[in-house]
Amino acid sequence: CKIVKCAIGIARLDDKSVAYPFFEKSQKLGIKNISMHKGLPLPGRFEDFFKPDDIMQAAKDFPDLNFIVYHSGMKHMLTMLPPGESGIGPDGYLPWTTDLVRMQKENPKVTNVYPELGSVFGHSVVTHPEIAGHLLGQLIDGFGADHVIWGTDCIWWGSPQWLIEAFRRYQISDELQEKYGYAAITAADRDIIFGKNLAALYNIDVAAQRKA
């Protein structure tokens, strides 16, 4: 645990003296999936380490590892936004998440970065549905639905059933689709995001597990 915290909590992921030895050791141990908390920063002097701007270089240097980005790098803890504020900037800008999507588009050959929904979908889908629309619209556009990872952070909230129902029903509004060019979320998108994407990363045979 100390090594993990050192690599992903106090050092940047592109730090060749601290993070890279951790990645190299992970490879030797047969570990392929690196999950990291990005976004939702703790206040204070460590905030910069929560930014996702260090992911692409690490992903390029370690193409055999998968980098799973918890919270999709979103900066805002939506429950703490002042009433009436959305945190959405011009042109649908979501601090840090939009930056992560932009970096992916600038590096289309990088295929080992996977944004995870977790708290940010839960925080937005009920109280800030417009943010949920921008979040999903941008992630699917930039990474593809086959790279978006389902998560709930239900350790904080109890049963995730309400989140499951919310994602089953949620659709990006026609207004956002028309204005920003987001694609509608399809049944096929939901099917793979709900678990098949992550199952593939961990070599889980979904059909065999269901049969068992």
Side-chain angles (χ1 to χ4, degrees), residues 117-179:
L117 296 175
S119 294
V120 290
F121 179 71
H123 280 317
S124 62
V125 68
V126 175
T127 58
H128 296 81
E130 184 180 2
I131 292 181
H134 284 292
L135 173 70
L136 292 167
Q138 292 179 29
L139 293 180
I140 293 173
D141 176 57
F143 289 89
D146 61 343
H147 273 60
V148 178
I149 300 298
W150 175 250
T152 65
D153 266 351
C154 63
I155 187 175
W156 307 114
W157 302 321
S159 170
Q161 190 62 37
W162 68 276
L163 277 167
I164 294 169
E165 294 295 339
F167 188 60
R168 282 176 177 166
R169 301 177 185 184
Y170 183 79
Q171 182 57 267
I172 302 171
S173 70
D174 292 340
E175 179 183 1
L176 290 183
Q177 291 184 45
E178 181 177 351
K179 184 174 181 179

Side-chain angles (χ1 to χ4, degrees), residues 85-106:
E85 293 189 16
S86 68
I88 304 172
D91 300 322
Y93 178 74
L94 295 176
W96 297 5
T97 294
T98 300
D99 299 320
L100 178 64
V101 172
R102 173 185 53 78
M103 287 184 282
Q104 176 62 40
K105 287 188 171 184
E106 292 173 350

